[in-house]
Amino acid sequence: MRFLSVNLNCFLVEFSSLEETIAAYHFLQQTQYPYIQELIPAARTILVHFDVLFIDAKTLISWISSQKIDQYAANTSKEVTINVCYDGVDLVYVAEYLGIGVDEVIHKHTHSRWQVAFIGFAPGFAYLVSPDHPFGSIPRLASPRKKITSGSVGLAGEYSGIYPKDSPGGWQLIGHTDQAMWDVYREQAALLLPSDQVIFKDISKHPTQVAVPSTRSISTQAQQNPVVLTVKNVGLQVLVQDEGRKNVAQLGVGHAGAMDRGAFYGANACVGNPKNAAVLEILNGGLHLKVMKETVIAVTGADAELWVTYANAYKVKQLLYQPIALDQGDEIYISSPQAGIRNYLAIRGGVAVEHVLNSASYDSLAELGAAPIRVRDEIHSAQLKTQPVDLNQLPVSPLPKVGDQIVVDIMLGPRVDWFTPDSIDLLLGQRWLVTADSNRIGLRLAGDKSLQRQINQELPSEGCCTGAIQIPPSGQPVLFMNDHPITGGYPVIAAVTPYHLDLIAQIAAGCYIQFRKISDFMGIKENV
């Protein structure tokens, strides 16, 4: 067992085998240690998020390393049968690659014991492994397909898997199932969870036995609430966001949520909302709204101009971080920011949308939550219980402008030892341009020189935190943001500290980032 630094509030536990990883994940789940907030299992690692208010990393590491985890490896998970029609476009290729017949491929797949190792790539996408190792290692496609149909059953490396929705992919497809791997309106959204046992059943000759995916209508309760605003124009992007989703990593779902948490909380405080009330997150201004019912709003975040045109045609520039009372017929306009890029608009009582996995947030990677706001949309009030407005919220200053260089604190790890010493110096020594190819999933950075690896083997997928700095083969960093995939297959060299994530959320393309190390790499080997 090896412990690797990731961030101030999480670390990675590395194991020598998948079996050890599954046993440790089972143990930590069953123990329910009070200060562990979330566990993200992967092929050979578990990412442990913990509550820094109650425990520090060294104390938690000491506790984990003292446990006799092998005594808790008993499997208490469920068994799931998946009906498969073996008609995949790559079935013949797989048979030829293995030097066996198609029937034998099907026999091996259906007569092997499979277990969910972890969930990654997409919500509900289970990586299945078998201790029988029936196929060895199956190569991925040289060029991934742009679209693989939901329900496709595939092989890649040592894994088998089922695509939960239409998506790109590079696995070898051997069949398909009509069983729904992912359904947010089901009590358990993901059909398969880590450690579940899976049995594949061949129904190729009896396709009528295939189960029909569940379909449930979307509730319209939120739309029955009063309309407060209508949308006359949107700019680049307007999303509904709250704090995000918690404790859903085992489903393959990330946190999402408001990018600039400080501005999000400030907007709700200004209008007297509960801390986690849903708001509008506005990227680069351009939002024009009409008031349909008297309300109180506040706008926080980026340094933009907030204009209110009252029903009597009187136009006033209003202050940010202040409650503003509005009547029916008034109109609101938020300009493109002069500094920062994201604004947050709260209405008193909160924005009403359908909650998905206990959150109103839209996740742009998983495509979960209320769709991005469009022209002519209606904004409904959630009618939440409110408190007195807060007149003491203050803006963060200064916010970054295009061309600025921003110093950001990072922690080294967990794969810093995969890079040459010169690359560590380069990461810290040169400035990194934030490119236009950046979004809520991640910021793509560009430097004059690329980082170089000294370990070039393939890295098994492992959990990543928000703020992780992942290095793809190009050597140019990708900085993971709120909607990032929960696991990744490229090494992470460092992570931005949690207290600088709000600043990162306001950095525009054309800004430069200078990384500042606050902690050396931690790699603790424990013999347990």
Side-chain angles (χ1 to χ4, degrees), residues 102-428:
V102 167
D103 288 345
E104 190 172 351
V105 172
I106 297 172
H107 184 273
K108 285 177 174 289
H109 197 247
T110 54
H111 286 74
S112 297
R113 294 175 297 150
W114 296 95
Q115 184 175 29
V116 180
F118 60 97
I119 309 291
F121 173 65
F125 190 101
Y127 287 74
L128 308 175
V129 295
S130 172
D132 304 327
H133 302 291
F135 303 115
S137 182
I138 300 295
R140 288 171 169 82
L141 298 177
S143 179
R145 294 183 174 95
K146 294 182 179 180
K147 180 182 177 181
I148 291 180
T149 305
S150 170
S152 295
V153 179
L155 301 171
E158 62 182 312
Y159 302 108
S160 184
I162 306 163
Y163 284 79
K165 66 175 185 177
D166 294 353
S167 60
W171 289 36
Q172 305 283 355
L173 306 181
I174 62 172
H176 79 272
T177 179
D178 285 346
Q179 290 174 250
M181 297 295 107
W182 179 256
D183 182 354
V184 295
Y185 302 108
R186 191 167 55 197
E187 183 177 356
Q188 180 183 295
L191 181 64
L192 302 177
L193 296 178
S195 299
D196 282 351
Q197 305 292 314
V198 176
I199 298 172
F200 289 107
K201 180 180 179 181
D202 181 11
I203 62 160
S204 302
K205 297 179 181 178
H206 307 283
T208 55
Q209 297 180 15
V210 178
V212 177
S214 64
T215 56
R216 300 185 185 182
S217 59
I218 299 174
S219 170
T220 58
Q221 181 179 353
Q223 297 178 0
Q224 296 171 359
N225 290 2
V227 176
V228 177
L229 305 168
T230 57
V231 181
K232 300 190 69 173
N233 191 45
V234 294
L236 190 61
Q237 183 186 70
V238 180
L239 306 174
V240 177
Q241 296 290 345
D242 57 15
E243 284 182 324
R245 296 177 177 83
K246 301 176 182 179
N247 302 316
V248 290
Q250 68 170 353
L251 304 179
V253 178
H255 287 183
M259 293 274 284
D260 184 340
R261 295 297 178 92
F264 161 71
Y265 292 136
N268 276 323
C270 283
V271 298
N273 280 344
K275 181 181 180 182
N276 191 34
V279 305
L280 301 183
E281 180 181 84
I282 304 117
L283 178 62
N284 282 327
L287 179 63
H288 186 184
L289 304 168
K290 184 173 183 178
V291 180
M292 306 305 292
K293 185 180 184 298
E294 63 180 29
T295 187
V296 177
I297 71 158
V299 176
T300 61
D303 182 12
E305 293 184 351
L306 170 60
W307 290 93
V308 174
T309 302
Y310 292 97
N312 60 9
Y314 190 57
K315 187 175 182 180
V316 178
K317 181 181 176 182
Q318 297 282 7
L319 295 175
L320 303 185
Y321 287 86
Q322 291 295 311
I324 302 166
L326 298 172
D327 291 320
Q328 182 178 353
D330 296 342
E331 296 190 7
I332 306 158
Y333 178 73
I334 300 173
S335 71
S336 297
Q338 297 175 340
I341 57 174
R342 288 183 171 88
N343 288 102
Y344 294 84
L345 187 151
I347 61 173
R348 186 166 173 83
V351 175
V353 294
E354 300 304 325
H355 280 53
V356 176
L357 300 178
N358 299 315
S359 172
S361 286
Y362 178 72
D363 184 325
S364 61
L365 178 66
E367 297 181 338
L368 292 178
I373 301 298
R374 298 173 298 178
V375 175
R376 291 187 292 276
D377 278 354
E378 295 177 333
I379 309 300
H380 300 253
S381 170
Q383 298 182 299
L384 301 175
K385 185 177 180 180
T386 56
Q387 301 292 327
V389 299
D390 187 343
L391 302 175
N392 299 311
Q393 293 293 311
L394 297 173
V396 175
S397 183
L399 290 171
K401 299 178 182 179
V402 174
D404 284 355
Q405 180 169 304
I406 301 95
V407 177
V408 174
D409 290 347
I410 62 171
M411 286 186 62
L412 294 181
R415 299 300 174 187
V416 64
D417 54 344
W418 282 49
F419 297 88
T420 65
D422 288 345
S423 289
I424 308 304
D425 294 338
L426 190 61
L427 176 72
L428 301 170

